[in-house]
Every structure is written in C-alpha cells, then in structure tokens.
Amino acid sequence: MTKEADAMVHDFTLVYALDSDMGSQEDVLRQLAGSDCADVSVGWGRPGHVGLAFSRKADDSDAAVTLAMAQAAQALPGAVLVRADGV
C-alpha cells in the first residue's frame, strides 16, 4: 500500500481577516482559484473576513493544516488567521 493510500481526509476551516488592499470578493476568489487553494470552499461572513473550508488528505491533521496555512498565506498575502475550526 502506498503512503497516499494510508493518508486520511481532514476537514477544517481557516478564517482570515483580509488586508484592506485585498480588493473585492471577486479578486479574492480569483487569487484563490489561481493558487494551491483552488480546492477550497469559500464562505463570506463578517465584512473583511473569509472562511476557507478545506478537505485535505494527509498523514495527520497537523500536516494538513500547516500546509493549508502556508498555501493560504501565499494566495492571500497580508491576510491574518483569526480562527481555525475543526483542527
């Protein structure tokens, strides 16, 4: 069996406060679509915040969350993580 087959799916949500220079919701969606976060489900709650719901395969939840946070930081520079749910 391969290591990929042994990996579990981890579901979690990362909520970010967006930088004021981030642009519109469409701009944020465009940035995410062109990144390693293209598989994320996006939710809009409080103004200036975005929720990113991930369902990622990884050996453990820490690995899945750490990778997702790094990818989100690249896709949404200046965004600040305010909450992580399901981790």
Side-chain angles (χ1 to χ4, degrees):
M1 215 189 268
T2 67
K3 190 170 188 168
E4 176 74 16
D6 293 337
M8 293 180 56
V9 175
H10 303 276
D11 298 318
F12 55 93
T13 301
L14 303 177
V15 179
Y16 287 89
L18 298 174
D19 185 279
S20 60
D21 295 333
M22 193 69 59
S24 69
Q25 288 181 351
E26 291 79 20
D27 293 333
V28 171
L29 291 173
R30 225 179 337 273
Q31 285 177 245
L32 290 168
S35 74
D36 291 331
C37 293
D39 63 330
V40 72
S41 294
V42 179
W44 305 99
R46 287 178 47 190
H49 290 73
V50 63
L52 306 178
F54 292 88
S55 186
R56 293 279 180 95
K57 270 191 174 181
D59 291 335
D60 58 60
S61 63
D62 287 343
V65 172
T66 299
L67 179 58
M69 288 173 56
Q71 292 171 335
Q74 287 183 332
L76 303 173
V80 176
L81 181 67
V82 294
R83 193 174 76 235
D85 296 329
V87 294

